Amino acid sequence: MSTHVLDPSQLRITINPDSLEFSDTSELLQRPLSWIGQERAEVAARFGLGMMQPDYHLFVLGEAGSGRTTLLHQAMISAAAERHSSPDLCFLHNFIAPEKPLALHLPSGQGRVLRQLLLRLAKSLPTDIAQCLSGQDFKLNSNHIEKKFKTAADQAYTKLDKFAESLHYTIHRENEQIVFTLLDEKSEILTAENLLKLPKAHRIEIEQAEQALREAITQYLDEFKQVEKERNNELSALQRRLVQPLLSLESKKIQKELQQQLRHNKQLKTFFAQMESDILDNLALFETDNIEEEKRHTELNQIFSRYQINLVVDNADVQGAPVLIEDNPSAYALFGGIDYQFENGKLKTDFMRIRAGSLLKAHGGFLMLHLDDLLNDDSLWIRLRRFLRSKRLQIEEPGSALTSNTPVSLEPESVEVNVKIILIGSRDAYYDLQEIDPEFMRRFRVKVDFAASFVASTKTYQASAVLVANVCAVAQLPHFSAASVARLLEESHREVEDQKRQSAIFARIEMLLLESAAFCKARHGRIVEVPDVSAALQARILRHNYPDLRLQESILEGEITITVQGMEVGQLNALTQIDLGDHSFGTSIRITARVFAGEDGILNIAREVDMSGPIHDKGMLILQNYLTGLFAHIAPLALSASIVFEQEYTSIEGDSASCAEFYALLSSLSDVPLKQSIAVTGALNQYGEVLPVGGINDKIEGYFKLCDKMGLTGEQGVLIPHQNRPHLMLDRSVIEAVEQGLFTIHTMQHVTQGLALLTGLPTGVSLEDTTNGYSSDTVLGYAQKTLLTFRRACQLLQHPRSEHRRLPTRPGK
């Protein structure tokens, strides 16, 4: 068996613009956007969004740029349009426990209506009550009460005055106190000096009289206070009796302007009843003859602030269910919070400073979150997990969730929330969470898996063209011709290195689309053509390929030794890919091998100095096992060998150099030189079958560029796995060189197929039985001879020279 040479037609897929059935993308604007290549994800998303039962949240996994956020947002909007409007949410003052505000759900739009009605009430009611309390009816009744109680007070005072007179005292009021004065027999004031001149017995009588008068005064003051209290109670009852109908009328007006279903709302009725009672308890503040008018207005404003509602969720302008995307999911943004303000050097708050977060705003609808944002805050993750478990949300004061011993000044009523969460994350994060937090993941029962690529077809090409048309329309770009769209689609195949599949990472194509349009504008073109796309691709390469150019310069200048002509023993050019994140490219690297007589087996020098990864080490062990199997008829092998990547000073990973390592080792073992003009890539299994590798286009193009700069002779080429044929999307410069016979691409299915190409000699593998060895004039035959020589040398080291020992006779001889 020998290698197969690929035709130029096999090196790239070319899309016929005529198959797209349009001349430019402006013709496609009326066609709807679709989930291109993501039919499985679409079915899962629509199922999850339509599932009403709890714990059927969606976890959307896939690569960034696959359109997962945009497509899910569109699906959320479509699903929300089919649902009923979500209710408004407001918080009310709790008259019984002010530190625990009450939550109230209202039909969509009614929260705004109720807020306006209560604001109107706060403006009109003080004036109405003041007018009621200053009206003729109130004055007549209050005057009657005042007169009645004044008469009673006067009678009590007259009684006290007569009693004082009987004791030779005179009394009068002074600053709401009763002042009394002792009189002598001439009804003149008795001075202290004259009092001392009186007989002792008379002085004792005067002291007893004074004590009796004091007791009478105390009794009078008590009676006066009781009379005043009864007067105030009757005045207050009069005020309440006159104002009560006004309050009831205003409450009925408010309830009448609300929807029918709210007129019998028990919680709302209780609130209005408590509001009326609170107003009646503070009617004194409505009296306009109050001297401290400014203080009265301040207290009135404080009272009426209790009768407002804090409309934290207003869905009046939302059609259908709410759809939210929370791009900054802090604890405050997601769960809401309580604001504070400084007053007289102290932090104060009330129910009007409660703020709703995205979870409350999305009640009855959908909320999209990105997993990476949540994982940055452990406390946020804990609160979200607690919410998903309980389905209830408690708005907490800052820090109260973590400092449970700290007293809180406000504790709003918890609210039951029904929200569908759409969590966007990577595939790795999804499976990591399955292990780390299985309880959390049980809440996300719908997996929406976005593929990184999909099978291409005429349908997907046309759908991709519709996407291009929409991007052009939204970004106000010139439209693309069918040929330029075909070029974009070819680049989509190139991104996934597959002639049958397209990339699902449309963000990359969109970026190329924008850059191509920029080149079209620069030349004042009306339609984006193929040269614009090619110019954008070339410009992108020039922005990122400095490391690639610098490496090629090092090779051309001899700093890194690479030979692309001639033949060498134990030396071969392997192909490797370097991925820098924003740019990847291929290059060649020299592999050398040395063999010796011994029993150490194959030594991987890179592994010995900890420069190789586990996959590369695995490939080396497979190589060693395959080599042992090739020469099983003379096993155990008396072989010590070393393999190394020359001038490689970074870590080595991957097994794509396994075939090249095998050829270098076999060349050294057989002392047969290898063509340096053919670079090799490919992994092998324990039976020598060649396995496909990644980065095949970068690897081939990297070696081609090097050969092109060193001078193409027509002998250069690459040897790649046969299974990599469908992955070829090579640059047209490579294809042109192949067409001209200056560069050749060979494929192999088995590693031994490349021996004849690289050495120019027969391989030695045949369909006949090889248990007795390989032909002496073949590559494997030369290697076999060397191994036998190594065995003989090892045996001589183990036994004295005088002994002549014979090698074991092979079976069949």
Side-chain angles (χ1 to χ4, degrees):
M1 295 185 293
S2 61
T3 60
H4 176 71
V5 177
L6 296 183
D7 295 328
S9 60
Q10 297 175 288
L11 305 183
R12 181 184 182 89
I13 183 176
T14 302
I15 299 174
N16 184 359
D18 294 337
S19 66
L20 301 179
E21 300 179 353
F22 64 88
S23 59
D24 66 71
T25 52
S26 63
E27 303 171 12
L28 309 177
L29 290 176
Q30 303 305 317
R31 298 187 188 181
L33 286 170
S34 62
W35 291 50
I36 310 171
Q38 304 290 359
E39 289 77 11
R40 293 175 62 257
E42 182 181 13
V43 171
R46 300 201 184 282
F47 167 78
L49 294 174
M51 198 72 173
M52 304 298 290
Q53 283 71 18
D55 292 336
Y56 275 86
H57 303 290
L58 284 70
F59 196 113
V60 183
L61 57 154
E63 291 189 40
S66 59
R68 53 188 183 170
T69 300
T70 303
L71 291 173
L72 259 298
H73 188 206
Q74 292 176 353
M76 290 160 62
I77 293 173
S78 298
E82 299 175 0
R83 292 194 178 189
H84 298 296
S85 297
S86 295
D88 298 338
L89 174 65
C90 62
F91 280 95
L92 310 174
H93 176 72
N94 189 336
F95 291 92
I96 298 174
E99 74 280 2
K100 296 182 178 182
L102 302 174
L104 173 65
H105 276 113
L106 301 169
S108 175
Q110 289 297 287
R112 190 179 294 182
V113 173
L114 179 59
R115 182 177 62 184
Q116 290 300 116
L117 291 173
L118 290 174
L119 285 172
R120 188 176 69 188
L121 180 70
K123 290 181 179 180
S124 63
L125 198 57
T127 303
D128 294 342
I129 293 177
Q131 290 176 350
C132 181
L133 296 180
S134 61
Q136 192 65 30
D137 190 18
F138 177 77
K139 286 181 179 180
L140 289 173
N141 287 280
S142 64
N143 287 338
H144 176 73
I145 294 171
E146 291 283 359
K147 185 177 181 181
K148 182 178 73 170
F149 285 101
K150 186 177 184 302
T151 301
D154 290 345
Q155 288 175 353
Y157 186 79
T158 301
K159 179 181 177 182
L160 176 65
D161 186 53
K162 288 181 180 180
F163 179 72
E165 185 178 352
S166 68
L167 297 175
H168 301 286
Y169 282 92
T170 179
I171 63 173
H172 65 277
R173 294 185 181 93
E174 187 176 304
N175 296 329
E176 298 184 359
Q177 294 183 349
I178 303 297
V179 179
F180 57 88
T181 305
L182 180 63
L183 302 176
D184 59 13
E185 294 176 353
K186 297 179 180 180
S187 298
E188 295 179 357
I189 297 174
L190 182 64
T191 64
E193 182 181 354
N194 292 331
L195 178 63
L196 293 174
K197 294 178 181 180
L198 295 175
K200 183 177 180 181
H202 194 184
R203 291 201 305 270
I204 291 174
E205 291 176 358
I206 291 174
E207 288 177 359
Q208 291 175 346
E210 181 180 341
Q211 182 63 32
L213 180 59
R214 289 182 181 276
E215 291 176 358
I217 290 173
T218 301
Q219 183 180 357
Y220 163 76
L221 291 175
D222 290 341
E223 290 178 4
F224 182 81
K225 289 179 181 178
Q226 182 63 30
V227 168
E228 193 173 48
K229 182 179 179 181
E230 290 177 1
R231 182 201 65 178
N232 291 338
N233 287 342
E234 286 201 24
L235 286 174
S236 177
L238 174 63
Q239 289 176 334
R240 295 172 74 95
R241 189 168 60 253
L242 294 176
V243 174
Q244 178 71 57
L246 174 64
L247 296 180
S248 298
L249 179 62
E250 292 296 331
S251 294
K252 289 179 181 178
K253 284 182 180 179
I254 292 176
Q255 295 179 57
K256 187 177 181 180
E257 294 194 40
L258 295 173
Q259 288 183 1
Q260 181 69 32
Q261 63 194 83
L262 287 179
R263 298 175 188 174
H264 306 288
N265 184 288
K266 184 177 180 180
Q267 190 176 3
L268 206 54
K269 279 183 171 293
T270 301
F271 172 73
F272 284 127
Q274 291 175 334
M275 181 181 70
E276 291 178 18
S277 177
D278 191 55
I279 292 174
L280 293 174
D281 290 340
N282 291 278
L283 286 177
L285 295 173
F286 294 88
E287 297 177 5
T288 56
D289 58 351
N290 196 310
I291 298 175
E292 299 182 7
E293 189 66 18
E294 184 177 346
K295 181 180 178 182
R296 185 180 77 88
H297 277 293
T298 301
E299 293 180 356
L300 271 179
N301 290 335
Q302 290 178 348
I303 288 176
F304 273 92
S305 67
R306 302 199 290 254
Y307 311 148
Q308 305 306 305
I309 64 167
N310 181 6
L311 185 59
V312 296
V313 178
D314 183 1
N315 286 318
D317 299 325
V318 179
Q319 299 296 324
V323 175
L324 278 76
I325 299 178
E326 184 54 72
D327 293 320
N328 181 30
S330 62
Y332 186 92
L334 199 58
F335 295 95
I338 303 171
D339 295 341
Y340 286 82
Q341 70 174 5
F342 272 101
E343 287 186 12
N344 300 323
K346 294 182 179 179
L347 280 174
K348 291 188 177 181
T349 189
D350 56 36
F351 78 101
M352 292 297 290
R353 298 185 180 278
I354 300 172
R355 300 291 179 260
S358 299
L359 285 169
L360 280 178
K361 293 176 182 177
H363 172 65
F366 308 95
L367 174 63
M368 180 182 288
L369 300 170
H370 285 81
L371 179 63
D372 290 343
D373 298 331
L374 299 176
L375 294 178
N376 290 330
D377 188 340
D378 290 341
S379 62
L380 188 67
W381 185 262
I382 292 171
R383 286 189 66 180
L384 182 60
R385 184 170 58 182
R386 187 191 307 157
F387 163 75
L388 290 173
R389 186 190 308 123
S390 66
K391 314 295 188 299
R392 297 189 69 85
L393 190 144
Q394 174 72 60
I395 297 179
E396 300 174 344
E397 294 184 326
S400 61
L402 301 178
T403 56
S404 56
N405 295 326
T406 303
V408 295
S409 60
L410 214 59
E411 187 180 342
E413 181 182 5
S414 64
V415 181
E416 185 171 347
V417 180
N418 176 25
V419 60
K420 182 82 68 176
I421 295 178
I422 293 85
L423 191 58
I424 308 291
S426 67
R427 185 168 279 100
D428 290 342
Y430 175 83
Y431 291 109
D432 287 344
L433 277 177
Q434 293 277 16
E435 296 292 330
I436 298 171
D437 199 341
E439 179 189 352
F440 180 86
M441 291 306 295
R442 279 199 295 271
R443 314 295 175 191
F444 290 84
R445 297 178 178 176
V446 181
K447 176 182 176 183
V448 182
D449 195 348
F450 273 71
S453 65
F454 53 87
V455 176
S457 65
T458 302
K459 182 179 178 180
T460 63
Y461 289 159
Q462 293 174 345
S464 300
V466 173
L467 174 64
V468 173
N470 278 268
V471 172
C472 290
V474 171
Q476 297 183 344
L477 302 175
H479 282 277
F480 280 61
S481 67
S484 61
V485 172
R487 183 68 183 86
L488 291 174
L489 295 173
E490 290 174 12
E491 191 62 24
S492 176
H493 282 275
R494 161 82 181 208
E495 287 178 4
V496 292
E497 293 193 328
D498 200 313
Q499 295 181 3
K500 296 180 180 179
R501 302 183 70 84
Q502 282 181 255
S503 171
I505 313 303
F506 291 104
R508 299 172 187 165
I509 294 299
E510 183 176 348
M511 184 168 57
L512 178 58
L513 186 154
L514 296 172
E515 293 168 6
S516 302
F519 279 92
C520 175
K521 288 182 178 180
R523 65 175 178 82
H524 304 291
R526 189 182 64 85
I527 297 293
V528 180
E529 301 290 354
V530 174
D532 298 317
V533 179
S534 300
L537 285 169
Q538 187 60 35
R540 181 186 297 179
I541 292 172
L542 289 175
R543 291 195 299 270
H544 296 276
N545 73 340
Y546 175 74
D548 184 7
L549 294 177
R550 185 68 191 92
L551 185 58
Q552 289 185 24
E553 289 173 0
S554 299
I555 296 173
L556 294 173
E557 292 170 1
E559 296 178 15
I560 298 177
T561 307
I562 297 291
T563 303
V564 297
Q565 296 183 24
M567 302 186 71
E568 298 288 342
V569 174
Q571 173 179 309
L572 187 64
N573 292 326
L575 296 176
T576 185
Q577 183 192 40
I578 299 175
D579 192 346
L580 301 178
D582 62 344
H583 180 63
S584 63
F585 59 92
T587 187
S588 57
I589 187 170
R590 174 179 290 180
I591 293 178
T592 59
R594 297 293 301 273
V595 295
F596 316 93
E599 299 177 349
D600 295 331
I602 300 175
L603 176 70
N604 177 10
I605 294 178
R607 183 179 183 275
E608 295 300 311
V609 294
D610 293 328
M611 288 180 62
S612 62
I615 298 176
H616 181 260
D617 295 340
K618 174 187 174 183
M620 288 296 300
L621 292 174
I622 292 173
L623 166 60
Q624 179 169 321
N625 289 344
Y626 174 63
L627 185 69
T628 302
L630 273 178
F631 299 99
H633 54 283
I634 55 174
L637 301 182
L639 172 68
S640 292
S642 63
I643 296 179
V644 69
F645 285 69
E646 299 286 356
Q647 294 183 279
E648 180 56 51
Y649 307 109
T650 59
S651 61
I652 300 169
E653 183 59 306
D655 59 357
S656 63
S658 299
C659 289
E661 291 168 327
F662 170 76
Y663 293 136
L665 180 63
L666 202 60
S667 171
S668 182
L669 192 61
S670 62
D671 199 30
V672 174
L674 300 173
K675 292 180 181 179
Q676 302 301 294
S677 57
I678 305 295
V680 178
T681 185
L684 55 82
N685 64 15
Q686 293 190 98
Y687 297 97
E689 297 168 339
V690 180
L691 308 176
V693 295
I696 190 67
N697 293 292
D698 283 340
K699 292 175 179 178
I700 295 174
E701 290 171 2
Y703 185 65
F704 170 78
K705 292 175 185 176
L706 182 62
C707 293
D708 188 33
K709 291 182 178 180
M710 288 185 168
L712 292 172
T713 62
E715 296 182 358
Q716 290 107 338
V718 293
L719 178 59
I720 65 172
H722 188 73
Q723 294 183 40
N724 274 125
R725 287 178 307 124
H727 306 149
L728 296 176
M729 284 296 297
L730 293 172
D731 187 78
R732 300 191 185 279
S733 60
V734 181
I735 298 175
E736 290 174 3
V738 171
E739 290 173 342
Q740 297 170 13
L742 298 176
F743 197 78
T744 309
I745 298 177
H746 308 266
T747 65
M748 57 180 170
Q749 294 178 286
H750 197 276
V751 69
T752 55
Q753 293 176 355
L755 281 174
L757 172 67
L758 295 170
T759 63
L761 296 177
T763 302
V765 176
S766 66
L767 297 177
E768 300 175 1
D769 184 19
T770 59
T771 56
N772 293 323
Y774 302 103
S775 300
S776 59
D777 57 349
T778 64
V779 177
L780 293 178
Y782 292 135
Q784 173 182 273
K785 181 179 178 181
T786 302
L787 288 171
L788 290 171
T789 302
F790 286 171
R791 169 176 284 185
R792 195 173 295 113
C794 290
Q795 289 175 337
L796 291 175
L797 289 174
Q798 296 172 5
H799 302 281
R801 279 179 189 270
S802 56
E803 288 191 31
H804 296 280
R805 301 179 60 83
R806 298 177 61 86
L807 292 174
T809 303
R810 294 176 183 166
K813 283 193 177 182

